[in-house]
Amino acid sequence: MQRLVPAALAAMTFVAAPAWADKLPLPKAAYSADVTFVAKGRQSTGHINVDGPKERRQAKNAAGIDKTLIIRRDQGKAGLVYDLKPSHKLAVAMRMAAAEAAGEIGAAGIDIDAFYGIEATTQGTETIEGLQTTKYAIKIDGGPDLVVNATVWATDDGIIVKMIGKTSIDTDAAPSRMELKNIQRGPQDPSLFEVPAGLEILTAGGGDDEAAGKSNPNAPTTTEAPAAPAAATGAPAAQTPAPAPASPAPAPTPPASK
């Protein structure tokens, strides 16, 4: 089973630096930044806006297609993700865990959402992008088939400035990376974290359907999409056929000749 670093090197690192158990800070800051993701040898770039547990990610996915996600860690049982599809007038809502497993919000198992509040080992402090960060070593034992090893640099108010990580199921792939650049602290427009008016919310994955249906109070035209895909994509309703015209009355019988 592969680890992020060889065992001997890891042991030297923990001996050389003071280390103690801690937890990665929860997201509290409001900021915007440019972001770079590298997973399985593929790099994508984009922009994020964050306001505590609310996040908007705009980036290209692995297929090179522009993708906009709204991540609401404050909704549902454990957070909801909305994949905006304005060309189809849809917003696909899914549970955070389902979105992570599908790789929708980053490399499966090591997206930054998997780290907030998790137990970690501190390894000192570093200044990155002008911000004072604490360096954390993280190991997540997800069972016999999944072990995650990662190094995360985060501020005290939960800005994850940099992350390098690897899972045991990606033995042949290089470690995944996430880095922020051009970080600008400050209030963010609240509308960035709401599903735009005019987009129907289609729930996926189950479990938080009710929460997803109530997640767009600022868009009164948005309703939970029905199960039928044709209706969700705006297919016109079936037209009621017009009634057939009445049969013409028979012509009057001419009078008999005398």
Side-chain angles (χ1 to χ4, degrees), residues 52-203:
K54 306 173 184 179
E55 181 178 340
R56 182 186 183 96
R57 295 186 191 180
Q58 295 173 276
K60 292 184 181 294
N61 63 12
I65 300 173
D66 289 327
K67 194 177 190 68
T68 299
L69 301 175
I70 293 176
I71 301 171
R72 296 295 301 266
R73 303 177 187 92
D74 59 335
Q75 289 184 348
K77 296 176 182 177
L80 292 171
V81 177
Y82 300 89
D83 183 358
L84 304 187
K85 301 179 182 294
S87 62
H88 297 288
K89 299 186 183 302
L90 280 178
V92 180
M94 65 195 86
R95 292 172 296 171
M96 186 79 70
E100 182 183 331
E104 292 290 337
I105 56 176
I110 52 176
D111 183 79
I112 60 175
D113 286 287
F115 299 138
Y116 286 121
I118 200 166
E119 290 189 359
T121 303
T122 57
Q123 295 185 313
T125 61
E126 292 185 23
T127 300
I128 303 178
E129 289 295 306
L131 298 180
Q132 184 74 15
T133 71
T134 299
K135 181 180 179 181
Y136 297 91
I138 295 173
K139 180 177 180 179
I140 304 174
D141 188 354
D145 298 325
L146 177 63
V147 176
V148 177
N149 285 277
T151 304
V152 174
W153 290 259
T155 65
D156 290 343
D157 54 357
I159 301 178
I160 296 181
V161 182
K162 182 178 178 181
M163 182 280 297
I164 302 174
K166 190 173 182 67
T167 70
S168 56
I169 60 177
D170 294 322
T171 56
D172 297 329
S176 296
R177 301 174 62 92
M178 188 283 296
E179 296 184 66
L180 299 184
K181 301 286 185 182
N182 303 318
I183 303 169
Q184 301 291 327
R185 288 182 178 271
Q188 304 296 302
D189 183 351
S191 67
L192 292 172
F193 312 108
E194 301 293 342
V195 175
L199 299 190
E200 290 185 288
I201 298 176
L202 177 66
T203 59

